[in-house]
Amino acid sequence: MTTIAPGSTIGILGGGQLGRMIAIAAAQLGYRTHIYAPEESGPAADVSRCWTRGAYEDAAALSAFADSVDVVTYEFENIDPAAVEVLSTHGLVRPGAQALRVAQDRLAEKNFVRDLGGLTAPFASVESLDDLERAIATVGNRSILKTNRMGYDGKGQARLNGPADAPAAWDAIGRQSAILEGFVTFEEEFSVILVRGANGEVRFWDSPANVHVDGILSTSTAPGGPRIEAQVQAARALAAQVAEALGYVGVLTLEFFASADGPVFNEMAPRVHNSGHWTIEGAVTSQFENHVRAICGLPLGDTRLAARRVQMHNLIGEEADAWQAILSDPSAHLHLYGKHEARPGRKMGHVTRLTL
């Protein structure tokens, strides 16, 4: 097992807030970070030693970047796996390209999990309006159409209540390759956040109850409560299977619906996750620190709760302007991402509150 010692440099693909928080955790363990992203700057620039601006399709720039760091990771999944393969020829990349291939294609993701025995919503592939009309007959009238690639926080999605909605929904997603998913009757939403070390060791954090507003995560609360806790064991077993099948190293997140039939898999993210931001103050070891530990081949840290109850609230758009009031609350831990413009739907920061 390769160990990357403190003092080394971690390369991060992507310079958003997740890269920022990985870089902060890395610095606390004595590592330097180097960002590679197509943008000129971003939230991670404030806390990283180096920033290389380059396209993910630029093999020469990727090669030079890989040669300047000791291990590479990524903060989001919408990266061409070919870029990771280029980097892999020059050094260590964790997680690997296969996790990207599965997670960034919704149809592949659903089939992958179903083949492992996981429970999913009914789904069908959609490549045309005719496909969509046939899929509604199979999946059910109440359904949601999602672009097969890209799209997050509710983007690239359209809800349907029957065949009459098909033309408008197909237009709404830009007539792209898509997946139609049937609605799931559920009581709560939750996520399983795990870290898998280079030696195969797996540790889990408490599964938080997640509440979404307009398709964007609003709050994550841990512990998740009795209905979620009754389904966590089965959800963890599936998540561990996914990590094992992918040969995964790092933090991996799977989102679930708690239903009468058990945990229904929704989607996965091969990275640190918004629903795990509470772990910075709310767990003995945060998801960001354990991600660094895992990709560097270090012993994994304790994932237990550090308080009786923890709640993370996303600050969307102008909600971040309330920073002064938030800082006046002794139970609040404020994180602002350094973004210069507050726009509707944009994650500007988060606040975590601990009940000891």
Side-chain angles (χ1 to χ4, degrees):
M1 184 178 71
T2 302
T3 299
I4 310 299
S8 303
T9 299
I10 298 171
I12 303 174
L13 299 180
Q17 63 261 24
L18 299 181
R20 178 188 182 98
M21 288 181 272
I22 293 171
I24 291 170
Q28 290 174 332
L29 292 177
Y31 293 92
R32 301 177 178 88
T33 50
H34 184 165
I35 305 297
Y36 185 99
E39 300 83 17
E40 185 176 355
S41 186
D46 295 337
V47 296
S48 298
R49 186 178 188 185
C50 301
W51 182 292
T52 291
R53 184 181 187 183
Y56 295 124
E57 300 78 25
D58 189 335
L62 286 168
S63 298
F65 169 70
D67 290 339
S68 72
V69 301
D70 298 289
V71 62
V72 175
T73 192
Y74 41 86
E75 63 132 28
F76 74 120
E77 58 268 42
N78 291 325
I79 301 169
D80 189 338
V84 174
E85 289 170 352
V86 169
L87 293 166
S88 298
T89 64
H90 291 261
L92 197 59
V93 183
R94 290 171 168 167
Q98 183 60 15
L100 288 178
R101 290 192 189 93
V102 172
Q104 64 186 209
D105 184 305
R106 287 190 169 96
L107 185 62
E109 181 183 67
K110 286 287 196 300
N111 282 317
F112 181 81
V113 168
R114 188 176 62 180
D115 290 346
L116 289 174
L119 178 63
T120 72
F123 65 92
S125 175
V126 174
E127 297 293 337
S128 66
L129 180 57
D130 287 343
D131 280 351
L132 176 55
E133 291 170 346
R134 284 190 291 268
I136 293 170
T138 301
V139 167
N141 286 335
R142 294 191 68 233
S143 54
I144 182 165
L145 183 66
K146 301 179 180 179
T147 55
N148 205 33
R149 290 177 173 270
M150 308 294 284
Y152 59 93
D153 291 342
K155 299 179 179 69
Q157 301 183 11
R159 294 177 182 270
L160 297 88
N161 290 307
D165 295 334
W170 182 238
D171 288 342
I173 67 161
R175 303 183 180 188
Q176 301 179 57
S177 177
I179 182 172
L180 185 71
E181 298 179 11
F183 266 86
V184 174
T185 300
F186 64 92
E187 297 172 330
E188 294 190 80
E189 296 179 76
F190 69 98
S191 48
V192 170
I193 310 165
L194 66 81
V195 59
R196 185 174 187 268
N199 62 355
E201 179 186 3
V202 174
R203 296 190 181 189
F204 298 92
W205 283 269
D206 277 58
S207 283
N210 298 325
V211 176
H212 292 78
V213 177
D214 296 329
I216 302 173
L217 181 65
S218 178
T219 63
S220 291
T221 305
R227 286 181 295 194
I228 289 173
E229 289 170 7
Q231 301 195 9
V232 162
Q233 184 174 355
R236 284 183 173 182
L238 176 61
Q241 280 184 279
V242 170
E244 177 70 23
L246 294 173
Y248 198 89
V249 177
V251 169
L252 173 69
T253 306
L254 275 70
E255 296 183 73
F256 291 90
F257 301 115
S259 80
D261 297 321
V264 178
F265 169 79
N266 182 27
E267 61 185 20
M268 62 176 277
R271 53 171 169 80
V272 291
H273 195 258
N274 195 178
S275 67
H277 288 359
W278 62 269
T279 63
I280 296 174
E281 292 86 19
V284 177
T285 309
S286 77
Q287 64 166 344
F288 301 101
E289 180 178 330
N290 257 342
H291 186 73
V292 172
R293 286 178 179 234
I295 66 173
C296 292
L298 307 181
L300 300 180
D302 192 340
T303 55
R304 288 178 300 169
L305 283 171
R308 182 165 52 87
R309 180 179 184 271
V310 186
Q311 184 174 77
M312 185 280 301
H313 173 68
N314 270 331
L315 300 174
I316 308 298
E318 294 182 353
E319 287 182 336
D321 293 342
W323 54 266
Q324 193 163 18
I326 294 169
L327 290 173
S328 299
D329 179 354
S331 71
H333 299 267
L334 178 64
H335 297 259
L336 296 177
Y337 304 149
K339 298 179 180 179
H340 302 302
E341 181 185 0
R343 297 194 299 265
R346 192 181 197 194
K347 296 173 184 174
M348 301 298 294
H350 71 269
V351 57
T352 303
R353 291 179 171 86
L354 274 61
T355 303
L356 301 175

